[in-house]
Amino acid sequence: MNAASKKAILIVSFGTSYENTRKRTIDAIERDIADAFPACLAYRAWTSKMIIAKLKKRDGIIIHTVKEAMEQMLLDGITDVIVQPTHVINGIENDQMKADALSFRDRFSSIVFGNPLLTTEEDNQAVVQAVAGEFQDMDQETALVLMGHGTEHYANSVYAALDYRFKDMGHKNIFLGTVEAYPALDSLLRAADSFQPKKIVLAPFMIVAGDHAQNDLAGEDPDSWMNRLSSEGYEVTPVLKGLGEYPKIRQILVDHVQQAMNASI
């Protein structure tokens, strides 16, 4: 990189309208990345236009889309961009984010991408260790049931693979499903029945503990995971803590920025 070049990191999240979880997750990830790479300017973009519009109308907060952030970086004289998503998987949101950023490829010296949270086998192993570590005080007769988002994108297969990996790494009492795809709650119920836990801890497997966590996971609706599991006779404790609150999860994303930097040299 020559002396005249200016490098920035664009941190891209889906977004959330829940301020409390945003401060503990997205804000914390952005802060950790900015602290780790003080020579780079850090920028934010969100991919959910619905959430961006909601925050603008409700709170008067302006958050850039990926394209708006790229335009802002051009105005600020940035020449080289590392785009680091906080997305969990290489799904639809990540594909669209890449397309939006790459539409500017002729206007920057370089645009490189860091990987989403679950990309390599090393990532999967590190995530299993990070999640299991957060719940290490849980006894073996208690099951941890994690709610991922799920997607129609083929990358959804990573959820079933990770559920298997939890078991393979010795965590027989950790179950991972999704709210919108496979494995669904019915699959988890069958698995939990065979494990026969005395209690169930329910937690989101998403960067933020936002709408899905508040409603689909722990909401009052009879179809919420908490109520479905409770109706099966389990004693259920919800833990509304997004993955972005786990220091070791944030560190994986910081490492992904470093890997992208190394690849761009």
Side-chain angles (χ1 to χ4, degrees):
M1 200 166 73
N2 63 51
S5 62
K6 283 180 70 176
K7 184 173 278 194
I9 303 168
L10 175 61
I11 304 155
V12 181
S13 304
F14 180 78
T16 180
S17 61
Y18 290 81
E19 183 183 13
N20 285 341
T21 188
R22 188 206 74 226
K23 287 179 177 176
R24 296 194 299 265
T25 57
I26 295 173
D27 290 5
I29 293 166
E30 292 172 346
R31 188 167 56 247
D32 282 7
I33 290 174
D35 289 348
F37 305 99
C40 299
L41 290 171
Y43 291 78
R44 162 189 284 177
W46 288 3
T47 56
S48 173
K49 292 182 172 64
M50 190 184 303
I51 294 174
I52 288 172
K54 183 175 182 177
L55 285 196
K56 183 178 179 181
K57 183 178 180 181
R58 187 188 72 187
D59 305 326
I61 294 173
I62 306 295
I63 293 171
H64 285 155
T65 63
V66 171
K67 287 186 174 182
E68 288 168 347
M70 299 296 279
E71 292 282 5
Q72 183 62 56
M73 286 188 285
L74 283 171
L75 289 173
D76 294 345
I78 300 298
T79 58
D80 299 85
V81 184
I82 293 167
V83 184
Q84 178 57 53
T86 69
H87 301 143
V88 174
I89 63 171
N90 290 274
I92 295 166
E93 295 291 323
N94 210 65
D95 287 349
Q96 185 61 55
M97 181 251 337
K98 282 188 169 182
D100 288 347
L102 287 174
S103 68
F104 289 80
R105 61 162 60 114
D106 297 334
R107 301 168 71 185
F108 289 91
S109 298
S110 68
I111 301 173
V112 296
F113 297 93
N115 287 327
L117 182 65
L118 294 172
T119 302
T120 66
E121 287 300 315
E122 291 77 17
D123 292 339
N124 295 354
Q125 186 169 336
V127 168
V128 166
Q129 291 170 335
V131 172
E134 282 290 323
F135 293 92
Q136 62 187 351
D137 295 335
M138 201 173 67
D139 65 66
Q140 289 299 306
E141 293 184 322
T142 300
L144 173 63
V145 173
L146 298 165
M147 175 194 270
H149 190 278
T151 175
E152 61 204 33
H153 193 281
Y154 63 84
N156 189 76
S157 60
V158 76
Y159 290 107
L162 204 67
D163 178 67
Y164 180 87
R165 184 168 280 240
F166 274 112
K167 317 293 189 296
D168 197 45
M169 290 175 66
H171 308 292
K172 310 291 186 191
N173 58 335
I174 299 181
F175 302 87
L176 171 60
T178 72
V179 68
E180 293 191 357
Y182 178 87
L185 181 57
D186 290 339
S187 300
L188 295 191
L189 279 169
R190 287 191 292 274
D193 283 345
S194 64
F195 181 74
Q196 295 185 319
K198 292 192 173 176
K199 298 177 183 177
I200 289 179
V201 174
L202 198 51
F205 188 80
M206 305 173 192
I207 293 297
V208 303
D211 203 50
H212 284 299
Q214 305 286 338
N215 297 308
D216 299 313
L217 186 137
E220 296 178 4
D221 191 283
D223 283 337
S224 75
W225 283 28
M226 184 173 71
N227 286 333
R228 287 278 306 279
L229 289 163
S230 296
S231 70
E232 295 288 328
Y234 294 113
E235 181 186 329
V236 184
T237 303
V239 177
L240 299 186
K241 186 174 181 179
L243 293 175
E245 294 187 50
Y246 304 1
K248 288 183 178 177
I249 294 287
R250 297 199 299 272
Q251 184 58 48
I252 294 168
L253 295 172
V254 171
D255 292 343
H256 285 185
V257 176
Q258 185 63 62
Q259 289 157 12
M261 278 190 178
N262 294 346
S264 68
I265 293 171

